[in-house]
Amino acid sequence: MTMRPVPKPEAEFDWQPRDEAELAAFKAAVEEALADPRGIPHEEVVAWLNKIIAGDFDAPMPHPRLLE
């Protein structure tokens, strides 16, 4: 799925699907993601991103797991 640039830089999020097929693919991807019971705690994602920001481009991504 390709996203087009937003013409208004001040807009927070203004993505629109190009056609019905793209919208259907987007909805299917969201439904699949929401159906997956696994997740990664926000803190772990932030720590991983901070390693990347610091230049550790080989930092291992945290693995999704069942969360309680």
Side-chain angles (χ1 to χ4, degrees), residues 47-65:
W48 172 64
L49 292 173
N50 283 333
K51 289 178 185 178
I52 293 172
I53 290 168
D56 183 4
F57 301 114
D58 294 322
M61 185 177 133
H63 294 286
R65 61 188 181 275

Side-chain angles (χ1 to χ4, degrees), residues 17-39:
R18 294 179 194 219
D19 55 29
E20 290 301 315
E22 188 176 52
L23 178 60
F26 179 72
K27 286 182 179 181
V30 169
E31 288 175 10
E32 180 182 349
L34 291 175
D36 190 341
R38 300 172 302 155

